[in-house]
Amino acid sequence: MANKREYSAADPEQTLFTAKLINVRPLVNMLRTISFRPRALCTISPVGIVFTVEDSRCIVAQAYLRTTLFATFNYNTHLAHEQNKVQQQAASFSQDREDSSESDGINEATQIVLPLDNLIECLTLFYGPSGAGSLSGFTSSHHVTGVQSTSVLLGNSNPLDLRGATTAHIAFNGPGSDFELMLEERGIISVCRLATFVPEPPVDLEFSRFPVVQQLIIRSEWLRDAFNELDPTSEAVTISISASAPYFRISTIGSNGSTEMTYSKDEKILDSFFCNVEQENRYKLSQILKCKQALAMSDKTKIRVNQRGFLSFQFMIPTDVDVSFVNFVYAPLLYADELVDGTETHCV
Amino acid sequence: MRFRTVISNANLLLRVVQSIDKLAKSAILKLTPEKLHIIVVTDIDSGLQLWSDVAVHALFAEYQIESLHRNEIHLEFSIDNLQRALKSAQGAVRTTMKLTKKHGLPVLAIVVQNLSITGSEMTLCQDVPIRVLTPAQMDMVREPLVPDSQVHIMMPPLNSMRSIAERIKAMGDRVAVSANRDGELTIGVANDLVEITTFFRGLENLTYDSTQPSANPTPDRGPTEFYSAVVDMRNFVRFLQSYHVAPKNIVCCIIEHHAVVFYVYIGAAGYGGVGALNDQACGSLTYFIPVRQV
């Protein structure tokens, strides 16, 4: 280890990406909603950062952190162009490609893979020995005892309690360098460096490629009730939406019997409801339950199903600045006699 | 061999024993005419060691000790047993301790006299089983020889360092403890995926004179350059988790490639200020954490 230690913030002019957070809690809460895998794809662009986590090609979760969530946000687009150009040239050189027209559409975003669990550990360094003051009751993905409302989760009556808050300076200088955090609380400074990895082609469940045939917005507390009723011994959960009664039903069949939650089209419960095609789709329950933390933090949830039966939950999470979004997309389970060869993605 | 005494400051004695509670199951008690020493050796080569001494006059009255070996007595005891016995002595009217035999086995007999609510006397006898060590056995227990340290610095509030150490302990099996002469102390951990260094600033450095009367090596580095020793994470966390008899009075000394040593100075009331380092100190605890051998 070097004898001289440095802990000054990186220079925004010289660095690809720098940002500052007055309080890390909103970021930590957002990251925890998608922390069911150790690694995440991090996409940085002029509009913000998106963290993407994928599992078994049947669930993709994304947390969108817009620039408004940060006190300062500096993304050096010019440097990004340079770096992406170098990377593309290196890639096409090694693949021996003749076609140089690819270089015209250089993406101005930067993508790297980060160890997400370590990132959260670093951000919560000053939280105290047990990580108290955080969503500690929900870090386990397999013990589903119940989902509570946001204010209880945040542990106190003031959801914006920023006492003893950690500030963070973030810096990243492009693929090949470490992702750096400089955290400070009450005069103590921690400098963290996280290893980064070159991303593999991301799994894209292509939700938007197919028309959305069903949609509704439901207050999250209702959906939390439904989730609490689901039988955890059931392999699958069925979501049925139709233009006639029963409009929206969630059901499971397990060793304890069957459960069914039905919602009427009442405006007070379901908002912006439409259904062009009546469909009933099944999804793997254990994967569906991975969105419980995001559900717990949100006020409202937008549910959409596309023509292929893929399901999207969009959770609207209030932060002190505005609303942030976390998205979960699920591939449906297919019955054995419906399995099709080819390029379609199936959840098994 | 004879030993009997009145414990006049049961509170201080309890707190000294409590500070070793998490380190090991048993410890060595060395009694001399002037001092009481408690020694814990967790592992002779690689483990944390604690050597402590308290002046007899700060703990005892009517102190009598006699033995064939320079009037010293060496005992091995269970920390938990002694701790429990001393707890019952808190606030007592009179507590005595003596070395004796019960049912043919050597014990430290602690007799606590209290007044009940009605005013009558209550006497509680607790026998702490001990093993007497022979002079030959005691000679094998030697305080580690440590070269002069390169830097001495007062520790920051222990609870903040402890809570951070608890968070980083899963990230590596060793921790680098570093300090400079500019009031900065750092702890660092690293593995394949993450590297974390935490800086505590604004701390007080001590000059050589106050702690070591021996030779003063010329500093070979600038004041902001760090001296560093890499120790076992578990030993470091165990030290931080211990109850501390004087948590504001801990000096950290780093001897590169050798050890990290923590000195705690105990004033008569147990909370002496920094001044207690020299004049009013009635005792000290020294924690040795050796550098981790690859």
Side-chain angles (χ1 to χ4, degrees):
Chain A
M1 286 206 184
N3 277 338
K4 230 177 169 66
R5 306 297 156 79
E6 274 139 39
Y7 47 78
S8 48
D11 179 359
E13 309 271 311
Q14 311 271 6
T15 317
L16 173 67
F17 170 62
T18 56
K20 179 176 166 181
L21 282 164
I22 304 289
N23 183 356
V24 299
R25 268 178 212 273
L27 173 62
V28 170
N29 291 343
M30 292 284 283
L31 291 178
R32 277 192 163 140
T33 62
I34 62 167
S35 61
F36 53 85
R37 297 287 299 154
R39 300 222 178 149
L41 174 70
C42 174
T43 307
I44 313 172
S45 71
V47 300
I49 311 181
V50 182
F51 284 90
T52 309
V53 175
E54 176 269 330
D55 190 14
S56 313
R57 312 187 76 80
C58 88
I59 170 177
V60 172
Q62 294 189 299
Y64 293 84
L65 306 161
R66 295 194 291 204
T67 58
T68 48
L69 205 64
F70 299 86
T72 67
F73 190 98
N74 295 298
Y75 182 66
N76 201 324
T77 318
H78 177 70
L79 269 181
H81 274 289
E82 296 290 311
Q83 286 180 1
N84 284 340
K85 198 157 72 177
V86 168
Q87 281 210 302
Q88 284 216 329
Q89 282 172 352
S92 41
F93 182 76
S94 62
Q95 285 166 24
D96 206 12
R97 291 231 290 257
E98 300 281 331
D99 186 0
S100 64
S101 62
E102 298 279 341
S103 60
D104 293 344
I106 292 175
N107 200 339
E108 58 181 12
T110 301
Q111 287 198 319
I112 30 128
V113 168
L114 286 180
L116 179 62
D117 45 3
N118 284 316
L119 173 60
I120 295 174
E121 287 284 343
C122 291
L123 291 168
T124 57
L125 210 56
F126 295 99
Y127 269 37
S130 60
S134 57
L135 303 173
S136 50
F138 296 89
T139 49
S140 163
S141 59
H142 22 268
H143 273 307
V144 169
T145 48
V147 184
Q148 292 157 12
S149 67
T150 316
S151 58
V152 172
L153 283 177
L154 291 172
N156 49 56
S157 55
N158 176 6
L160 300 181
D161 190 340
L162 302 177
R163 278 174 302 167
T166 309
T167 59
H169 284 88
I170 304 171
F172 179 59
N173 214 8
S177 44
D178 290 335
F179 194 85
E180 294 174 12
L181 296 169
M182 190 180 94
L183 304 156
E184 176 166 358
E185 181 163 325
R186 281 181 263 193
I188 305 172
I189 293 181
S190 279
V191 174
C192 310
R193 296 197 149 84
L194 294 155
T196 62
F197 304 90
V198 173
E200 287 166 10
V203 168
D204 182 357
L205 296 179
E206 298 183 321
F207 181 82
S208 312
R209 240 186 92 198
F210 295 86
V212 173
V213 297
Q214 298 174 337
Q215 172 180 299
L216 57 96
I217 297 181
I218 184 171
R219 284 182 54 194
S220 296
E221 58 180 293
W222 297 104
L223 203 54
R224 287 195 277 271
D225 288 342
F227 272 44
N228 287 342
E229 296 299 317
L230 299 178
D231 181 352
T233 67
S234 169
E235 168 87 29
V237 55
T238 304
I239 295 185
S240 326
I241 302 181
S242 83
S244 52
Y247 297 93
F248 175 41
R249 172 176 288 166
I250 303 177
S251 52
T252 55
I253 302 174
S255 53
N256 295 342
S258 65
T259 68
E260 247 176 34
M261 293 285 288
T262 305
Y263 296 90
S264 75
K265 209 171 128 196
D266 192 327
E267 264 165 26
K268 288 185 225 125
I269 300 169
L270 300 183
D271 196 3
S272 313
F273 181 96
F274 75 76
C275 178
N276 297 341
V277 175
E278 192 168 310
Q279 263 193 33
E280 187 179 277
N281 290 293
R282 291 167 70 240
Y283 305 93
K284 197 158 179 190
L285 180 58
S286 59
Q287 299 285 25
I288 292 283
L289 291 176
K290 289 189 171 132
C291 73
K292 286 192 85 161
Q293 274 184 261
L295 177 61
M297 296 203 55
S298 65
D299 285 342
K300 294 205 272 198
T301 306
K302 184 193 271 190
I303 301 179
R304 293 178 301 160
V305 181
N306 74 10
Q307 198 178 57
R308 285 205 302 158
F310 282 61
L311 171 68
S312 156
F313 284 139
Q314 188 182 73
F315 300 102
M316 293 168 227
I317 296 175
T319 57
D320 51 343
V321 184
D322 60 34
V323 178
S324 294
F325 295 92
V326 173
N327 229 51
F328 277 72
V329 176
Y330 295 96
L333 287 170
L334 292 185
Y335 294 99
D337 56 1
E338 285 178 306
L339 279 174
V340 176
D341 293 314
T343 55
E344 287 197 25
T345 314
H346 306 305
C347 190
V348 291
Chain B
M1 177 177 303
R2 270 187 78 232
F3 168 67
R4 89 183 287 136
T5 183
V6 170
I7 302 180
S8 53
N9 197 340
N11 183 258
L12 179 57
L13 185 57
L14 172 64
R15 284 183 295 118
V16 173
V17 175
Q18 278 176 326
S19 31
I20 60 171
D21 177 41
K22 296 234 173 62
L23 298 180
K25 290 266 182 308
S26 63
I28 295 172
L29 182 64
K30 173 171 153 173
L31 298 159
T32 76
E34 289 86 40
K35 291 191 183 179
L36 170 145
H37 299 259
I38 296 186
I39 299 156
V40 179
V41 177
T42 59
D43 181 296
I44 198 80
D45 291 316
S46 61
L48 180 156
Q49 291 191 31
L50 168 64
W51 290 70
S52 69
D53 63 87
V54 187
V56 153
H57 65 75
L59 293 169
F60 303 123
E62 299 170 43
Y63 186 78
Q64 298 168 34
I65 188 167
E66 218 178 86
S67 84
L68 292 174
H69 187 68
R70 300 190 301 249
N71 287 332
E72 289 179 4
I73 294 177
H74 310 123
L75 312 168
E76 191 181 22
F77 67 98
S78 141
I79 296 169
D80 197 42
N81 285 343
L82 182 59
Q83 209 184 171
R84 267 190 275 140
L86 290 174
K87 274 197 181 139
S88 59
Q90 299 306 300
V93 169
R94 181 179 163 92
T95 307
T96 59
M97 181 163 74
K98 74 175 184 192
L99 188 61
T100 183
K101 271 202 176 144
K102 294 274 170 82
H103 312 294
L105 295 168
V107 299
L108 269 179
I110 298 180
V111 178
V112 181
Q113 286 173 352
N114 256 319
L115 285 181
S116 76
I117 307 167
T118 57
S120 53
E121 270 195 15
M122 290 189 319
T123 304
L124 176 65
C125 304
Q126 308 222 54
D127 297 326
V128 178
I130 48 107
R131 183 168 80 97
V132 178
L133 298 176
T134 66
Q137 285 169 328
M138 197 57 209
D139 278 344
M140 295 196 7
V141 182
R142 286 175 184 279
E143 193 159 352
L145 286 174
V146 175
D148 290 339
S149 45
Q150 290 114 345
V151 62
H152 312 250
I153 190 166
M154 296 296 294
M155 289 285 276
L158 276 188
N159 50 8
S160 57
M161 189 175 280
R162 181 175 52 234
S163 70
I164 290 176
E166 296 270 347
R167 310 281 298 167
I168 65 173
K169 70 181 178 194
M171 297 187 193
D173 55 8
R174 64 201 68 194
V175 57
V177 181
S178 316
N180 64 17
R181 292 202 188 81
D182 201 27
E184 296 183 313
L185 174 74
T186 78
I187 57 176
V189 68
N191 62 33
D192 290 338
L193 295 176
V194 65
E195 182 189 305
I196 304 180
T197 308
T198 302
F199 295 77
F200 299 85
R201 304 168 299 161
L203 305 172
E204 194 181 326
N205 284 100
L206 302 182
T207 57
Y208 290 94
D209 294 338
S210 22
T211 54
Q212 284 179 315
S214 55
N216 178 0
T218 352
D220 53 353
R221 292 184 206 169
T224 54
E225 309 257 9
F226 283 86
Y227 295 90
S228 188
V230 179
V231 299
D232 188 89
M233 178 70 81
R234 279 167 311 167
N235 283 338
F236 183 63
V237 172
R238 223 180 286 168
F239 158 72
L240 290 173
Q241 283 174 340
S242 306
Y243 169 85
H244 287 283
V245 66
K248 296 198 176 87
N249 255 3
I250 305 185
V251 181
C252 170
C253 301
I254 297 178
I255 308 102
E256 281 203 330
H257 313 303
H258 201 99
V260 179
V261 182
F262 295 99
Y263 294 99
V264 184
Y265 292 95
I266 313 169
Y271 292 109
V274 177
L277 285 176
N278 287 325
D279 310 69
Q280 297 123 15
C282 63
S284 69
L285 293 103
T286 305
Y287 295 80
F288 293 93
I289 306 185
V291 154
R292 200 182 139 115
Q293 307 303 328
V294 182

